Amino acid sequence: MSAIRASGIYMEYGDQIVLEDINIEIASGAFVSVVGPSGCGKSTFLRMVLGQERPTRGTLTLDGDPLPGEPGPDRGVVFQRYSVFPHLTVAQNVLAAYEFDASPLLGKLFGARRRAAMDKAMHLVESVGLGPHAQKYPSALSGGQQQRLAIAQALAKEPKVLLLDEPFGALDPGTRAQMHALLKPLWREHGMTVIMVTHDLKEAFSLGTRVIAFDKTRIDPQAPGRYGARITYDLDLDPRSPVPVLGFSRPLDPVTIAQEKARSVA
Amino acid sequence: MRRAMNIVPGRSARLVLAVLPFLLIAFLYVSASAERRVANPNDKLLPPVSEMVASVTRLASEPDKRSGDLLFWSDTAASLTRLGTGFAVSAALGLAFGLVIGMLPMVTAGLAPLVAVLSMIPPMAILPVLFIVFGLGELSKVVLIVIGITPFLIRDLAMTVGTIPREQMIKAQTLGASTWQTMLRVALPQTMPRLLEALRLSIGPAFLFLISAEAIAAENGLGYRIFLVRRYLAMDTILPYVAWITLLAYVFDFALAKIARAGFPWAYVQEAR
């Protein structure tokens, strides 16, 4: 289980209020797309869940427990850039995820334990389609391949929550479509909660089971930093949800021949 | 006519252009030396190449009458031992402090200003202090080199750690890495190429401090010899020694550059393109 609840979250940098009074509950296993104009605080929200920043007011909980104020292995992340270690090969990048946990002193495994971890790492590397590139350094990979690697690396820890900060923003449309095709089955398979910040509305709606939009509801022209962004739209795209939105309708109840007959008689 | 900034030399042209200035200097020296010899057969200022070869051969192959050493080689060994020790200690200190200052904000707050101030102390100004505290032996010379280049290494490496994208540090934490593991597996390997680059830049200052210390108080060493024979205006020894020191420094620089590229190929990917 990995439900996230934010209650009364404020983020303020000095006088500037970025987010105000954010209240949201994210169900376990949801794929939430976060959209909004530049600078509205969607990445800030993501960084708060990640633990990179702490809200100035309010509480964030994961399964009822307050989120620790620093990043941890229960929350994986893929950034737009710089997500992978440039000094490690593809295989080593994923292997590192296993090594940190198993070798507290050196952060490196040797011998049989290394081979066992390497098998797991290679399995992940292959599952994101990087098998033939396992021995390359990230600088030799294309942008899409680097993001695949970053995803494989994040999945290695089997995180409860996967945070994606504009993960495909720097990719061309074709590669982006490939990444969507890669990500969705991985999400279903691992059953984790995903929060994805994106500028691409099509991506937000096609991948997400829920789309939330951040924007400022009040603007003081004399003091642009006075009011922060709130959640302005919260759309549940799950066809099974009680309130259908945007053309999604609940599937009709199964019609049996007997029912059909009864209706026609009436 | 193409712009000058767009004219790129080919492989052989590059070689010719590189060798040309050296040949020019050699030619100027030889002709000036010959000219002075014609005017004054006892001229000591610009000795001909033959005399320099003779004096180096003597120093390198005939044992010294007093000590029985081959002076050229014993001087070289003594100087390189001091230099190598100084380099090793400085690299270790620079790496350790640089990593810790670059990684831990609490240590940055506590130590970065101190290092910034210490690095401004002119090392030569405290050489007398070193002689008083550490005596006139090997230790004071090594300490001078260490004091001279370590603050630069610390600041440079701390800055290098600071330029590692924040995303990587966060990523390491989400993979379960502790502070120590992040330092060891993320920061250290990405700092190593810069350490080698910083050492390359330190070769010049290190030799400066070494030769200064040897000139003032030593019993052997390249710097000691140069300043000893200065009394006899023995340019035929001084000039080859200077050339030898220059060659050594150049070889170290070249070797460090090669080691960095062989050991950390990922850091030089941009260069190859």
Side-chain angles (χ1 to χ4, degrees):
Chain A
M1 291 304 285
S2 43
I4 297 167
R5 177 203 283 267
S7 36
I9 294 280
Y10 277 74
M11 189 67 203
E12 296 155 42
Y13 297 106
D15 279 348
Q16 197 191 354
I17 301 176
V18 178
L19 292 174
E20 59 176 43
D21 201 21
I22 303 294
N23 294 288
I24 187 171
E25 266 184 67
I26 296 172
S28 180
F31 193 127
V32 181
S33 303
V34 181
V35 297
S38 295
C40 73
K42 28 183 215 308
S43 289
T44 304
F45 177 71
L46 196 85
R47 283 200 296 274
M48 286 192 300
V49 179
L50 179 58
Q52 193 180 347
E53 292 184 38
R54 291 181 207 203
T56 41
R57 269 186 273 172
T59 53
L60 259 175
T61 61
L62 176 63
D63 293 335
D65 302 320
L67 274 175
E70 58 177 9
D74 53 348
R75 284 150 294 151
V77 68
V78 176
F79 295 105
Q80 185 175 358
R81 294 177 65 199
Y82 307 124
S83 268
V84 296
F85 302 124
H87 60 288
L88 299 177
T89 63
V90 169
Q92 288 169 341
N93 256 291
V94 181
L95 183 66
Y98 298 112
E99 288 182 314
F100 288 136
D101 201 32
S103 168
L105 192 61
L106 290 179
K108 220 166 160 58
L109 292 175
F110 302 95
R113 292 174 72 201
R114 182 177 198 275
R115 278 193 296 278
M118 193 53 134
D119 284 345
K120 286 201 280 182
M122 280 308 294
H123 179 71
L124 265 173
V125 167
E126 272 154 29
S127 74
V128 296
L130 287 179
H133 308 287
Q135 302 311 321
K136 287 185 185 172
Y137 285 105
S139 51
L141 301 179
S142 70
Q145 288 170 332
Q146 289 191 18
Q147 291 307 76
R148 281 166 192 268
L149 174 57
I151 291 172
Q153 206 180 26
L155 292 179
K157 297 306 286 188
E158 293 174 12
K160 292 181 180 177
V161 182
L162 181 61
L163 302 166
L164 309 171
D165 193 355
E166 297 185 37
F168 315 130
L171 306 180
D172 63 83
T175 314
R176 198 180 286 206
Q178 286 177 7
M179 297 301 290
H180 294 168
L182 170 78
L183 186 60
K184 203 141 189 183
L186 286 175
W187 160 63
R188 288 229 173 83
E189 186 187 325
H190 289 260
M192 59 208 163
T193 308
V194 178
I195 302 180
M196 177 178 74
V197 167
T198 178
H199 273 115
D200 184 343
L201 282 178
K202 190 168 163 243
E203 178 175 279
F205 280 92
S206 63
L207 283 178
T209 57
R210 184 174 176 186
V211 175
I212 57 177
F214 281 57
D215 203 357
K216 290 189 177 186
T217 49
R218 291 177 293 178
I219 292 171
D220 183 341
Q222 270 72 45
R226 177 63 189 83
Y227 298 111
R230 290 163 177 263
I231 294 177
T232 49
Y233 290 96
D234 185 349
L235 309 174
D236 195 344
L237 305 183
D238 193 338
R240 287 158 303 174
S241 71
V243 187
V245 289
L246 294 169
F248 285 100
S249 55
R250 300 177 67 178
L252 297 169
D253 292 330
V255 179
T256 62
I257 297 166
Q259 284 174 329
E260 195 68 33
K261 271 187 183 164
R263 195 181 291 172
S264 60
V265 168
Chain B
M1 186 63 193
R2 276 198 297 170
R3 290 179 186 83
M5 62 184 188
N6 291 332
I7 301 172
V8 182
R11 231 184 125 75
S12 47
R14 201 181 289 269
L15 192 70
V16 171
L17 285 173
V19 172
L20 211 57
F22 289 102
L23 289 179
L24 193 68
I25 290 172
F27 173 74
L28 282 177
Y29 180 87
V30 170
S31 52
S33 164
E35 216 167 284
R36 285 186 72 99
R37 271 294 144 115
V38 171
N40 172 14
N42 292 324
D43 175 59
K44 299 200 90 172
L45 200 60
L46 297 179
V49 176
S50 57
E51 272 180 33
M52 291 197 274
V53 170
S55 90
V56 170
T57 316
R58 182 170 45 78
L59 284 168
S61 59
E62 291 173 23
D64 181 48
K65 289 190 188 86
R66 194 168 58 83
S67 63
D69 291 337
L70 299 174
L71 287 180
F72 183 79
W73 299 116
S74 65
D75 284 343
T76 304
S79 286
L80 290 191
T81 308
R82 290 164 192 151
L83 196 76
T85 317
F87 253 10
V89 173
S90 303
L93 285 177
L95 199 56
F97 278 94
L99 276 177
V100 172
I101 291 177
M103 280 283 293
L104 306 175
M106 288 297 280
V107 180
T108 313
L111 286 187
L114 176 70
V115 175
V117 170
L118 288 184
S119 68
M120 292 302 152
I121 298 176
M124 290 308 296
I126 54 167
L127 183 56
V129 180
L130 301 182
F131 281 146
I132 292 167
V133 175
F134 297 108
L136 296 176
E138 297 301 302
L139 188 59
S140 55
K141 299 172 189 65
V142 172
V143 170
L144 179 69
I145 296 174
V146 171
I147 288 182
I149 62 177
T150 305
F152 159 71
L153 289 179
I154 293 179
R155 295 182 79 187
D156 196 58
L157 297 180
M159 231 182 285
T160 306
V161 174
T163 58
I164 296 175
R166 181 108 194 94
E167 284 87 343
Q168 284 187 34
M169 301 294 181
I170 302 282
K171 184 82 180 195
Q173 295 177 57
T174 65
L175 299 181
S178 62
T179 302
W180 166 247
Q181 288 175 324
T182 311
M183 209 184 284
L184 200 65
R185 294 289 322 268
V186 181
L188 174 65
Q190 297 197 57
T191 313
M192 284 305 288
R194 182 60 207 169
L195 172 68
L196 294 181
E197 295 292 328
L199 284 178
R200 285 179 67 190
L201 295 176
S202 302
I203 291 174
F207 263 111
L208 167 71
F209 298 130
L210 173 72
I211 288 168
S212 309
E214 287 179 344
I216 294 169
E219 288 159 359
N220 54 11
L222 297 167
Y224 164 77
R225 194 68 50 201
I226 291 177
F227 277 78
L228 183 75
V229 301
R230 178 188 60 115
R231 297 173 198 166
Y232 318 116
L233 223 67
M235 289 291 268
D236 57 338
T237 302
I238 295 176
L239 290 180
Y241 261 63
V242 172
W244 175 236
I245 292 171
T246 311
L247 178 70
L248 287 175
Y250 184 79
V251 168
F252 295 154
D253 184 61
F254 186 79
L256 283 171
K258 284 288 166 205
I259 292 170
R261 277 157 188 75
F264 311 100
W266 49 267
Y268 297 92
V269 174
Q270 295 300 324
E271 212 172 61
R273 281 181 189 160

